[in-house]
Amino acid sequence: MKTISKCMLSVCFTAIAGQSQAHELHEWGTFTTVSGSDGVMLAGLQVEEEYLPYFVGGHQNLNPRAFKGLMRPVRNVRVKMETPVIYFYGDKREKVSVHVGFNGGTVSQWFPPRTSGDTPPKMVKLRPEERGKVAPVAFPAINPSAPMAFPMGGYKAWDFEEEYKGFIHWDTEIIPRNEVDSSKYFRTGETPNWIYPQVPHSNIVKVGEVYEQYLFYRGLGNFTLPLTLSVDSAETLSMDFKGSQNIPFALAYERVAGKVRYKVFAEGLEMNSHTEISQSNGWTEMDLSPESNQIIYREMRDGLMAQGLNQHEADGMVKTWWNSYFGHDGLRVFWVLPENEVERILPMKVSPEPEKKVRVIVGRSEVLRPSFEKQLLAQHAAAEEKKQLPHYSGRYYEAYTERVQALKKVTKK
């Protein structure tokens, strides 16, 4: 059977000898990026937007109810790999080893507990003579309204400009749902973004003595993507795709001042293509309302289902990410990564091979309009005059700061 592979994670399944090839694997997840109007991807995306349950594991859970993944200063994080979940479907128990590689990043959060995984570089203290000479770097704050920028106890930052290859490994057993009492995977403290991905018919996964309805992981990284988004001085959005396989589905979306507008690319974007959407042409515009939300929901859900997700999975993805995808003002493009890009960044090997494999990873690409950048510059100038930090959105505080500094350099020339 032909394998469908559309995703940005790599899941390698190392064989247990003699097992039959009876299961299906489905997966979805997101790569988040932010670009300036010039199309350059911005750094500083290590800030978490929403709380995860306290039981989710991470590299350094010094305070598991407050911080996840990385509790250390970092630099040059340009991609967030968010909420990839892996489902299994099958009518028999089967032992499977799962190995997820991540070329260009670290798998920093996970559940169930991993069997093994990448270990970040050790934290190194700054020498006394280095302190005061190192610019403050963003701390991975979980509260988006309170970004923290400080050297964090005099430690050197983990710089993601240096190539890094992470991974995670689970030894798991997939079990038909009707063979597991639901009390086995009940746990308190589940958050909405943990509940939404749960679907009614997937197998239960058992890792050690922990039962769950899917495998979950997240990560941080720095690597190139084939789609460049930019906005010119006339506020025209350009999408330049340099990939060697087509993007199978895309949706451009903008919300501002109580209005929403969108454009669906149901057939995707062709390889080596240039696409433009001007301010006056190409958009479908609506007032922000329950009805417009329903239209956007259906467009996104149906686009995901066209890539092979079932309706429960597509509903789960849209519900999980609704607030981040569509609940904030801004311009963004959602696009499904082509198969070869997934394999380049996160190659997957499965053994025993599933009968069917569906992997849908969505690039969530935020892009700043020149008009918005002017607002950032004005906010920065006003804060600088008062000797205060500017009150940008906490989700992209460091990214906005990087863009402001670049624009200031251009202005001075």
Side-chain angles (χ1 to χ4, degrees):
M1 179 176 291
K2 186 176 180 180
T3 297
I4 301 172
S5 179
K6 293 179 177 130
C7 187
M8 57 176 149
L9 285 192
S10 121
V11 181
C12 298
F13 292 77
T14 308
I16 306 284
Q19 298 295 322
S20 64
Q21 301 178 9
H23 64 271
E24 291 188 12
L25 181 150
H26 292 198
E27 181 183 43
W28 57 256
T30 298
F31 275 172
T32 297
T33 62
V34 179
S35 297
S37 62
D38 59 355
V40 175
M41 285 170 49
L42 302 172
L45 301 191
Q46 61 274 5
V47 177
E48 286 193 317
E49 298 182 34
E50 300 176 5
Y51 285 97
L52 288 173
Y54 71 91
F55 50 78
V56 173
H59 284 320
Q60 294 165 303
N61 282 346
L62 302 183
N63 182 349
R65 289 186 180 273
F67 299 100
K68 287 294 171 195
L70 291 174
M71 192 170 176
R72 63 190 296 167
V74 294
R75 289 187 188 277
N76 293 310
V77 174
R78 288 188 168 83
V79 184
K80 281 200 292 189
M81 178 175 71
E82 301 188 282
T83 315
V85 291
I86 303 171
Y87 306 99
F88 297 94
Y89 298 87
D91 58 4
K92 61 181 292 186
R93 287 177 178 251
E94 190 164 17
K95 290 184 177 180
V96 184
S97 292
V98 181
H99 185 91
V100 180
F102 189 7
N103 294 327
T106 178
V107 179
S108 57
Q109 296 167 284
W110 55 82
F111 193 82
R114 66 184 188 177
T115 305
S116 63
D118 70 271
T119 302
K122 290 184 179 180
M123 292 181 66
V124 178
K125 282 191 174 183
L126 295 169
R127 297 190 301 272
E129 62 271 21
E130 293 176 312
R131 297 180 185 181
K133 298 180 181 179
V134 179
V137 294
F139 183 87
I142 197 168
N143 182 354
S145 65
M148 293 177 281
F150 50 84
M152 191 190 167
Y155 285 91
K156 290 183 178 179
W158 180 5
D159 194 339
F160 279 81
E161 284 286 14
E162 300 175 7
E163 185 178 2
Y164 187 85
K165 294 185 178 182
F167 76 97
I168 190 168
H169 183 96
W170 287 282
D171 290 322
T172 185
E173 182 178 13
I174 58 175
I175 309 171
R177 188 170 290 249
N178 61 6
E179 295 183 20
V180 181
D181 189 282
S182 58
S183 65
K184 293 282 190 180
Y185 47 90
F186 166 78
R187 56 185 53 85
T188 61
E190 292 185 344
T191 56
N193 61 354
W194 195 262
I195 295 170
Y196 285 141
Q198 297 171 1
V199 297
H201 305 301
S202 65
N203 289 157
I204 301 302
V205 295
K206 180 185 179 186
V207 181
E209 296 303 316
V210 177
Y211 295 80
E212 190 46 86
Q213 299 179 66
Y214 49 74
L215 299 178
F216 164 92
Y217 49 104
R218 281 185 179 177
L220 303 171
N222 186 343
F223 46 88
T224 59
L225 290 169
L227 181 65
T228 300
L229 300 169
S230 59
V231 184
D232 64 18
S233 58
E235 300 288 348
T236 296
L237 170 66
S238 292
M239 299 184 288
D240 291 286
F241 178 55
K242 301 302 182 184
S244 57
Q245 292 181 352
N246 293 353
I247 289 174
F249 172 79
L251 185 153
Y253 173 86
E254 186 167 26
R255 169 177 152 168
V256 63
K259 302 282 187 178
V260 296
R261 55 185 182 173
Y262 72 97
K263 181 175 178 61
V264 176
F265 297 86
E267 301 302 319
L269 301 175
E270 293 186 357
M271 53 186 173
N272 298 316
S273 63
H274 174 83
T275 306
E276 294 185 352
I277 312 177
S278 69
Q279 286 282 65
S280 59
N281 184 35
W283 295 99
T284 298
E285 300 196 22
M286 304 176 289
D287 289 329
L288 180 61
S289 67
E291 290 75 20
S292 63
N293 284 339
Q294 290 170 12
I295 291 170
I296 297 298
Y297 185 103
R298 285 196 299 270
E299 293 285 5
M300 192 69 187
R301 180 201 63 194
D302 293 352
L304 295 172
M305 290 176 63
Q307 310 315 310
L309 295 182
N310 63 46
Q311 183 169 339
H312 294 298
E313 295 163 345
D315 279 334
M317 185 173 190
V318 177
K319 289 177 181 178
T320 297
W321 285 110
W322 178 265
N323 190 50
S324 292
Y325 278 6
F326 306 110
H328 295 273
D329 283 0
L331 171 65
R332 54 196 66 100
V333 176
F334 306 96
W335 53 287
V336 174
L337 268 75
E339 178 180 353
N340 65 335
E341 285 299 310
V342 176
E343 293 301 315
R344 176 180 70 88
I345 302 166
L346 301 152
M348 173 191 269
K349 292 182 181 178
V350 181
S351 177
E353 283 286 344
E355 288 187 332
K356 184 178 181 181
K357 184 165 49 179
V358 176
R359 311 184 75 212
V360 179
I361 295 297
V362 173
R364 165 191 164 192
S365 300
E366 309 262 349
V367 59
L368 310 185
R369 286 191 176 277
S371 53
F372 180 75
E373 293 175 339
K374 289 179 182 178
Q375 295 176 27
L376 293 180
L377 281 168
Q379 290 176 352
H380 181 86
E384 210 170 38
E385 187 175 341
K386 296 178 182 178
K387 297 182 179 180
Q388 297 174 347
L389 288 174
H391 296 288
Y392 307 141
S393 164
R395 297 191 304 162
Y396 306 128
Y397 180 88
E398 192 175 341
Y400 290 171
T401 300
E402 179 181 311
R403 184 58 181 153
V404 165
Q405 296 302 324
L407 290 168
K408 287 174 66 177
K409 289 180 180 178
V410 172
T411 303
K412 289 178 180 179
K413 291 182 180 180

